[in-house]
Amino acid sequence: MDNKMAVMLVGKLMLKMGLPIIISMMLQALDKGLSSLIISLLRQLVLVLPVAWLFSGFVNGDLSNAWLIWLTFPVAELITAAVAVLLMKPAYKKTVKTL
């Protein structure tokens, strides 16, 4: 059997051996912050743009319906708040039990 360290290219070797280690270390560092990261991404990017796109489809050139675009942010915030409650509920229960 060949020694992978001696045979493989350095770039491929780093990806194959280093990437899983890096990912596991990032997940450990984000342990409690992962929920917060998900909520922030939902709030700033994942929900706002699709909701705006969806509402702009209802406007479709009719400016009398342009007020719908203004609802993008509140709707995205409500969805994010619901997701935040679902994600943070287990962490809250765990914290309350330890006190």
Side-chain angles (χ1 to χ4, degrees), residues 11-85:
K12 287 184 181 181
L13 188 63
M14 286 176 55
L15 282 175
K16 188 172 181 172
M17 295 181 73
L19 197 58
I21 296 170
I22 292 170
I23 291 172
S24 68
M25 289 176 71
M26 282 177 35
L27 290 177
Q28 286 177 352
L30 288 174
D31 184 30
K32 297 199 188 251
L34 188 59
S35 297
S36 179
L37 177 66
I38 291 170
I39 292 167
S40 294
L41 288 175
L42 275 175
R43 184 175 185 210
Q44 297 172 5
L45 183 66
V46 175
L47 286 175
V48 172
L49 295 176
V51 170
W53 176 79
L54 181 71
F55 286 168
S56 70
F58 289 122
V59 172
N60 200 20
D62 183 13
L63 293 180
S64 64
N65 292 333
W67 60 273
L68 282 171
I69 301 298
W70 287 98
L71 292 178
T72 298
F73 184 73
V75 168
E77 285 293 311
L78 285 173
I79 295 170
T80 303
V83 171
V85 167

